[in-house]
């Protein structure tokens, strides 16, 4: 659906921008993704006026994601997310309301969900607090998948009156910035970043949480939680195969078509960090922001970073376009290589890094010593939405690098 816009000339786009009239109320908006089961996913938008066109921000607590490539034509707007293959196609109903669809690129087909937005409305309606519960702290959580298998998690929340902030941590990553509210015996949390579209609803009974988790258009997962200050998670394990010398060997092309190998002079006698990622992955986005900033500040210490991308399809042009958005958004100075192997390929490890056991999660971070040998593999990146867990991750990252440089 988006391809036809690629054929518009720059002159035509400029004309659209200049002729479209800004007719939207600036300020806070409530966006809502409509699920078929009636449990919708709310999030916060902010709209600002710049000349004759609006600028849209997706607001997640302290994060403001500025959307890109706004295309206006009469009463219609195309709003692209800054990083992911994700966009809104909407019509202006009034200056205070929008109606349309959210479209997210997929490996087999795109996800399309109805969407509407209204101005001046909070993410969650204000309700009488009743006998206000206290949910601040650390929670041991358990989700039940559709196939009835269980998955553990940690909920870490802060509370100011009825307002809740925090995140949910899984063994492999986190659900980024969650914002919500309390009313009587109910709790609600949500987030949206262009890929994550999440809504948590729960009842509070005898100090425990019990409810449902809704992700985009997927079937809901029941979940329960109890307070537990000592709860921990066991990360997925990816390791060097038994009998391997731990020396990795690959050659993939960067975004300019140049082959890059660990044998290149650039990486000789340096500590190298491999970032296994994908342009579809919100936690990879957070890790990319951290690694890109870290590299700019520390590249003269004798370290290098290489991103190895596992994309949604084997379409090279599509993958390059998505990875370029990452590169430009975070001003990435280190090589980003497209492995040409999809994230859903059951042989993704054998085809790219056969010296390792199964690559289970993204991002996965591999630390190589100055001789190119695997020293450490981290499968639990926690981003800025997790607060102290992100701080601890960065401290451990620096500790590992310093040790390898010594």
């Amino acid at each position: 659906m988006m391809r036809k816009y690629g054929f518009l000339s720059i002159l035509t786009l400029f004309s659209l921008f200049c002729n479209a009239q800004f007719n939207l109320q600036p300020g806070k908006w409530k966006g809502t993704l409509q699920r078929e089961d009636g449990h919708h996913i709310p999030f916060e938008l902010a709209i600002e006026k710049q000349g004759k066109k609006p600028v849209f921000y997706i607001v997640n607590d302290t994060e403001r994601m500025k959307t890109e490539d706004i295309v206006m034509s009469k009463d219609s707007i195309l709003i692209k997310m800054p990083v992911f293959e994700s966009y809104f196609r909407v019509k202006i109903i009034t200056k205070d309301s929008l109606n349309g669809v959210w479209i997210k690129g997929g490996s087999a087909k795109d996800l399309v969900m109805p969407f509407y937005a209204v101005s001046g409305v909070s993410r969650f309606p204000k309700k009488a607090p009743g006998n206000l519960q206290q949910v601040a702290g650390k929670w041991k959580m358990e989700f039940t998948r559709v196939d009835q298998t269980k998955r553990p998690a940690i909920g870490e929340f802060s509370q100011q009156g009825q307002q809740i902030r925090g995140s949910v941590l899984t063994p492999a990553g986190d659900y980024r910035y969650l914002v919500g509210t309390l009313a009587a015996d109910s709790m609600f949390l949500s987030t949206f970043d262009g890929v994550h579209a999440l809504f948590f609803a729960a009842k509070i009974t005898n100090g425990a949480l019990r409810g449902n988790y809704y992700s985009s258009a997927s079937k809901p997962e029941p979940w329960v939680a109890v307070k537990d200050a000592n709860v921990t998670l066991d990360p997925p394990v990816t390791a060097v195969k038994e009998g391997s010398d731990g020396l990795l060997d690959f050659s993939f092309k960067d975004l300019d078509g140049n082959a890059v190998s660990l044998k290149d002079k650039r990486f000789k006698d340096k500590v190298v960090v491999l970032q296994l990622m994908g342009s579809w992955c919100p936690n990879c986005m957070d890790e990319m922001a951290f690694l890109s900033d870290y590299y700019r500040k520390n590249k003269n210490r004798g370290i290098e970073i290489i991103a190895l991308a596992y994309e949604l399809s084997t379409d090279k042009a599509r993958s390059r376009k998505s990875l370029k958005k990452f590169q430009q958004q975070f001003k990435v100075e280190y090589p980003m290589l497209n492995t040409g192997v999809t994230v859903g390929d059951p042989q993704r490890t054998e085809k790219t890094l056969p010296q390792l056991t199964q690559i289970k999660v993204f991002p996965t971070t591999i630390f190589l010593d100055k001789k190119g040998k695997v020293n450490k593999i981290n499968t639990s990146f926690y981003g800025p939405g997790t607060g102290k867990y992100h701080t601890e991750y960065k401290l451990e990252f620096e500790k590992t690098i310093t040790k390898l440089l010594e």
Side-chain angles (χ1 to χ4, degrees):
M1 293 172 67
M2 291 177 62
R3 287 196 177 97
K4 68 178 182 179
Y5 286 92
F7 297 103
L8 289 174
S9 67
I10 295 175
L11 182 61
T12 303
L13 285 175
F14 180 77
S15 176
L16 286 173
F17 280 133
C18 291
N19 293 331
Q21 295 297 313
F22 181 92
N23 191 33
L24 294 173
Q25 182 67 39
K28 181 172 73 174
W29 285 59
K30 175 185 176 179
T32 302
L33 296 173
Q34 297 176 277
R35 291 171 51 91
E36 289 184 353
D37 60 11
H39 294 278
H40 304 331
I41 301 174
F43 61 96
E44 185 178 335
L45 284 166
I47 300 180
E48 296 180 1
K49 183 177 181 179
Q50 291 185 3
K52 292 186 177 181
K53 67 171 183 174
V55 176
F56 290 76
Y57 293 87
I58 307 297
V59 181
N60 292 298
D61 197 10
T62 57
E63 177 186 64
R64 285 167 57 90
M65 300 178 71
K66 183 180 179 182
T67 61
E68 302 291 341
D69 300 327
I70 305 295
V71 179
M72 297 184 65
S73 177
K74 297 182 180 178
D75 63 344
S76 298
I77 312 176
L78 180 71
I79 309 163
K80 296 181 185 179
M81 293 299 294
V83 177
F84 306 113
E85 293 184 25
S86 172
Y87 62 100
F88 295 90
R89 189 187 300 279
V90 300
K91 284 188 175 292
I92 300 173
I93 307 304
T94 69
K95 69 174 184 177
D96 297 306
S97 63
L98 299 169
N99 196 22
V101 293
W102 171 55
I103 303 169
K104 182 180 74 170
S107 54
K109 64 178 182 178
D110 292 348
L111 170 68
V112 181
M113 291 185 70
F115 162 82
Y116 69 90
V118 292
S119 72
V121 179
S122 298
R123 181 187 309 221
F124 294 104
K126 292 184 178 180
K127 296 182 179 180
N131 184 16
L132 194 61
Q133 303 286 330
Q134 297 299 312
V135 300
K138 194 172 184 178
W139 294 77
K140 180 180 180 180
M141 304 179 72
E142 183 181 75
F143 294 81
T144 302
R145 299 182 181 94
V146 175
D147 63 5
Q148 299 305 302
T149 58
K150 310 293 184 181
R151 60 187 185 92
I154 292 174
E156 186 82 37
F157 308 123
S158 64
Q159 179 178 349
Q160 288 184 319
Q162 289 182 259
Q163 189 173 57
I164 317 165
R165 290 184 169 90
S167 192
V168 170
L169 292 75
T170 72
D174 64 88
Y175 290 158
R176 306 190 76 248
Y177 301 89
L178 295 174
V179 177
T181 189
L182 285 166
D185 62 347
S186 298
M187 182 179 84
F188 306 99
L189 293 161
S190 71
T191 192
F192 176 79
D193 56 28
V195 174
H196 279 152
L198 310 179
F199 173 55
F200 295 80
K203 292 287 186 180
I204 309 168
T205 306
N206 298 324
L209 300 173
R210 187 177 298 272
N212 284 303
Y213 159 73
Y214 305 89
S215 176
S216 301
S218 300
K219 291 185 178 180
E221 293 184 7
W223 63 278
V224 295
V226 293
K227 279 273 187 78
D228 187 343
N230 300 312
V231 62
T232 59
L233 296 171
D234 295 323
V237 177
T238 296
V240 175
K241 283 183 178 177
E242 187 175 349
S244 172
D245 58 9
L247 294 172
L248 305 185
D249 184 20
F250 60 77
S251 177
F252 301 113
K253 290 184 178 181
D254 65 16
L255 302 187
D256 296 318
N258 303 310
V260 176
S261 167
L262 283 172
K263 296 177 181 177
D264 295 346
K265 184 179 179 180
R266 172 175 181 172
F267 309 111
K268 183 176 176 59
D269 299 323
K270 290 186 178 180
V271 172
V272 179
V273 178
L274 300 182
Q275 176 195 16
L276 310 189
M277 53 78 67
S279 64
W280 45 268
C281 166
N283 290 148
C284 298
M285 173 182 69
D286 288 334
E287 189 191 41
M288 184 70 77
F290 163 67
L291 288 178
S292 182
D293 181 65
Y294 186 90
Y295 183 71
R296 281 193 295 272
K297 295 175 180 177
N298 292 276
K299 59 186 176 182
N300 294 329
R301 295 170 63 192
I303 70 166
E304 288 291 343
I305 300 176
I306 304 173
L308 299 183
Y310 298 75
E311 292 297 286
L312 292 175
S313 77
T314 56
D315 184 329
K316 293 180 181 179
R318 176 186 175 184
S319 298
R320 182 182 183 276
K321 183 178 180 181
S322 292
L323 291 167
K324 266 289 187 183
K325 291 176 74 173
F326 259 66
Q327 186 184 57
Q328 294 167 357
Q329 180 76 11
F330 301 109
K331 300 179 175 60
V332 181
E333 297 178 6
Y334 53 82
M336 296 182 65
L337 314 183
N338 181 15
T339 65
V341 177
T342 66
V343 62
D345 190 329
Q347 291 189 303
R348 64 192 182 199
T349 309
E350 291 81 0
K351 291 179 178 179
T352 57
L353 299 173
Q355 301 86 355
L356 303 181
T357 60
Q358 185 182 9
I359 299 167
K360 296 181 178 179
V361 298
F362 295 88
T364 288
T365 311
I366 304 172
F367 297 84
L368 307 181
D369 65 20
K370 293 181 182 180
K371 295 181 180 180
K373 188 174 182 178
V374 175
N375 175 269
K376 179 180 179 179
I377 299 177
N378 185 288
T379 57
S380 294
F381 171 80
Y382 293 124
T386 66
K388 66 180 182 181
Y389 296 92
H390 184 57
T391 300
E392 290 169 0
Y393 174 86
K394 292 189 292 183
L395 291 173
E396 182 62 27
F397 184 94
E398 175 58 33
K399 181 180 176 180
T400 301
I401 293 293
T402 300
K403 184 177 180 180
L404 289 174
L405 288 173
E406 291 173 352

